[in-house]
Amino acid sequence: MENTRQTRSGAPPSPLECVFAVVSITILSKAFTVLFLTDIHMGPWLSQDASSSRPVTADTPALLGLYLLVYVVSGLLLLRRFSELPSLVKRHWVLALILVLPFVSALWSQNPGITIGRSIALVGTSLFGVYLALFYTWRQQLLVLTVASMAMAVGSAFIVFLLPNSGLMGPPHLGLWNGAFVHKNSLAIGMALSTIACFFTAVFAPSRSFVYWLGFWLSIVLLVLSLGKTAAIACVVTFTCAAFWCAHRNNWKMAAFAGSAALIVSIGMSSQVWFESPVASSVNELLSIKYTGQSAQGALSGDETLRTVSMEQLASGSGRAQLWSALWPYVMERPVEGHGYGGFWRRATGPAKELERSIRWWPAQAHNGFYDVAIELGLVAAALVIMLYTSLLLRCVYSSFHSEAPMRWLVYTSFLVYLGIVNLAESQLMSPNTLLWVLLVMILVSSKQADQPCSPESVTSH
């Protein structure tokens, strides 16, 4: 049975630290906070791009204060390992370089103040990932992620029941669930990740598996009711890969569980897509919940740009193809240095203002994490990020077959596969205050820690 790896200071994370980790994960997932601490309303979408999980409005002082609190506390906790930080930077020099590039891009950004601010936020977000890597075992990392995810799932269900105008989408996605998030795609990304986390935690903690299996099934239900196609595809691919890995290791029980999870998500999403969302409509009717907010079309009638966007095209993928084609000239306009971190997508002053006129709708992001890095920081930075992600994924895959702790590497590989697929259609790479970037940093730093031999039945502490 695995012994809990302690910090070099001699003590595992305290219960208070674990609470901080769970709350911070929730904050960086943008669950509850963006919904209730900003002026975004999901019915009319007065201040959000209707196709994106990224709000257009500026963060409120309360929300910025929460983010700052996560940065400061993470930094203070890391001071306990201050002597190790120089060697840590040396080992992860590619990550360090990637975090420096946004600051440098302020020299040519059209919005240098925004660039500096977002660069600081990216470093702060990364500090939390480093903290999780240095002070938590991989099982503890998985557990705090699972607890936070389950809290978001339960909270999302309650919001839909108690505040349906906040928890349900308005037109053109009328009746689809967004729960504790501001958009259905955000709920889908969070719940797909929750499904993966709850699955592995239930497998590794059989004494408490009943609770985690409940979280697993609730997360699947919310994922289906959100109709987030990208997150669902990523979830199915992740579980399918895990099933094949388990079969290769002759762990047929776990392979059956993972394969069943992939099949259930596939069936649920297929019924939504092929038959025009009958699952969400039927569930809403059964539970007597209904969105009664203002019509989106009426709210947007004064904005010709947003009124002409084809939501069906964007959802099917053709809209993204149109966007990527229109973005390429802007990438080649500054192929080496980019347009500045966070400077391109400013609607009033950024270069995207011309893009909006050419495609006649406001995207707010490239809908591809790698593409966003290329347009903001240049092709060199994009190549660095791709190299970092690819090398880390290959290392985790290799270690899952050849290390003394294969389950640890299977968990990391699963999260990386999910993260990579999501970023093919959403922009979550090098994005401040996003959980998927935290996961990438956490796995990267954790991957250099020593293997911990374990039994699949051992239970995490805390």
Side-chain angles (χ1 to χ4, degrees):
M1 181 176 293
E2 176 190 9
N3 294 322
T4 302
R5 175 175 58 83
Q6 298 180 341
T7 64
R8 291 187 184 180
S9 61
S14 67
L16 187 60
E17 283 188 66
C18 293
V19 171
F20 163 72
V22 169
V23 172
S24 297
I25 288 171
T26 305
I27 291 173
L28 295 178
S29 298
K30 296 183 173 64
F32 306 106
T33 54
V34 177
L35 186 66
F36 295 115
L37 297 180
T38 68
D39 60 347
I40 296 174
H41 302 284
M42 279 296 91
W45 285 326
L46 292 176
S47 55
Q48 172 163 337
D49 165 29
S51 66
S52 168
S53 58
R54 178 181 295 181
V56 176
T57 52
D59 294 326
T60 62
L63 192 56
L64 290 174
L66 288 177
Y67 293 149
L68 183 61
L69 183 63
V70 174
Y71 309 156
V72 172
V73 174
S74 299
L76 291 175
L77 291 171
L78 282 171
L79 289 178
R80 290 183 290 173
R81 307 280 286 270
F82 181 78
S83 61
E84 299 176 37
L85 294 184
S87 62
L88 187 69
V89 172
K90 185 177 180 180
R91 287 199 305 272
H92 302 287
W93 64 271
V94 176
L95 176 62
L97 178 60
I98 287 173
L99 294 178
V100 169
L101 288 176
F103 288 96
V104 178
S105 71
L107 296 174
W108 53 81
S109 172
Q110 293 190 15
N111 300 275
I114 292 173
T115 298
I116 293 295
R118 284 177 58 84
S119 301
I120 294 172
L122 182 64
V123 171
T125 305
S126 303
L127 285 178
F128 179 62
V130 174
Y131 163 73
L132 290 177
L134 294 183
F135 288 86
Y136 294 76
T137 68
W138 68 272
R139 289 178 176 275
Q140 291 166 342
Q141 294 165 0
L142 179 61
L143 186 58
V144 294
L145 178 61
T146 301
V147 172
S149 299
M150 291 176 63
M152 289 183 271
V154 173
S156 293
F158 271 105
I159 288 174
V160 171
F161 283 113
L162 301 177
L163 301 168
N165 282 352
S166 296
L168 296 177
M169 299 291 291
H173 302 300
L174 184 62
L176 295 179
W177 289 32
N178 60 270
F181 300 81
V182 296
H183 193 271
K184 71 180 189 68
N185 289 348
S186 299
L187 175 65
I189 290 172
M191 291 304 98
L193 187 63
S194 176
T195 300
I196 298 169
C198 288
F199 172 83
F200 283 117
T201 306
V203 170
F204 296 145
S207 62
R208 297 189 293 268
S209 62
F210 176 74
V211 175
Y212 302 127
W213 283 124
L214 285 179
F216 170 82
W217 288 110
L218 177 59
S219 299
I220 286 183
V221 169
L222 293 172
L223 173 59
V224 171
L225 293 176
S226 70
L227 194 57
K229 300 183 186 71
T230 299
I233 292 172
C235 185
V236 170
V237 172
T238 300
F239 277 121
T240 301
C241 292
F244 278 111
W245 183 92
C246 293
H248 177 78
R249 305 281 298 197
N250 294 322
N251 190 337
W252 298 107
K253 182 178 179 180
M254 190 172 174
F257 280 145
S260 299
L263 182 61
I264 291 167
V265 175
S266 299
I267 293 174
M269 292 301 297
S270 297
S271 66
Q272 288 272 62
V273 173
W274 292 341
F275 303 108
E276 300 181 357
S277 307
V279 176
S281 301
S282 300
V283 169
N284 293 344
E285 183 177 352
L286 178 65
L287 300 177
S288 300
I289 52 178
K290 183 179 180 182
Y291 175 80
T292 59
Q294 181 182 2
S295 168
Q297 283 80 1
L300 297 175
S301 59
D303 191 326
E304 180 66 22
T305 301
L306 287 179
R307 193 161 55 86
T308 57
V309 61
S310 171
M311 301 303 301
E312 292 77 11
Q313 281 189 336
L314 190 64
S316 66
S318 59
R320 285 182 171 88
Q322 177 200 19
L323 172 62
W324 296 335
S325 177
L327 277 174
W328 185 247
Y330 292 93
V331 174
M332 298 311 297
E333 185 178 309
R334 293 186 177 183
V336 177
E337 74 276 19
H339 292 267
Y341 186 64
F344 183 84
W345 296 108
R346 297 295 116 183
R347 191 173 189 183
T349 59
K353 186 176 181 180
E354 296 295 328
L355 173 69
E356 179 183 3
R357 281 198 284 263
S358 66
I359 64 176
R360 295 186 61 75
W361 58 281
W362 174 243
Q365 56 162 298
H367 284 279
N368 183 293
F370 303 98
Y371 214 144
D372 248 326
V373 175
I375 200 165
E376 292 189 331
L377 295 173
L379 293 174
V380 175
L384 283 174
V385 172
I386 293 172
M387 180 184 72
L388 180 73
Y389 170 78
T390 304
S391 61
L392 180 59
L393 177 61
L394 292 176
R395 171 180 168 79
C396 290
V397 171
Y398 178 85
S399 298
S400 70
F401 289 100
H402 298 93
S403 77
E404 296 179 353
M407 290 298 179
R408 169 197 180 194
W409 296 104
L410 173 62
V411 172
Y412 285 162
T413 300
S414 298
F415 284 139
L416 287 175
V417 169
Y418 175 75
L419 183 154
I421 296 175
V422 167
N423 273 282
L424 295 178
E426 300 292 341
S427 295
Q428 300 276 331
L429 276 181
M430 289 193 68
S431 182
N433 310 318
T434 55
L435 180 58
L436 292 188
W437 178 251
V438 170
L439 285 180
L440 181 62
V441 173
M442 180 193 77
I443 295 171
L444 175 66
V445 177
S446 298
S447 68
K448 297 299 178 69
Q449 305 295 323
D451 276 348
Q452 307 141 43
C454 65
S455 162
E457 285 75 27
S458 57
V459 181
T460 335
S461 61
H462 297 297

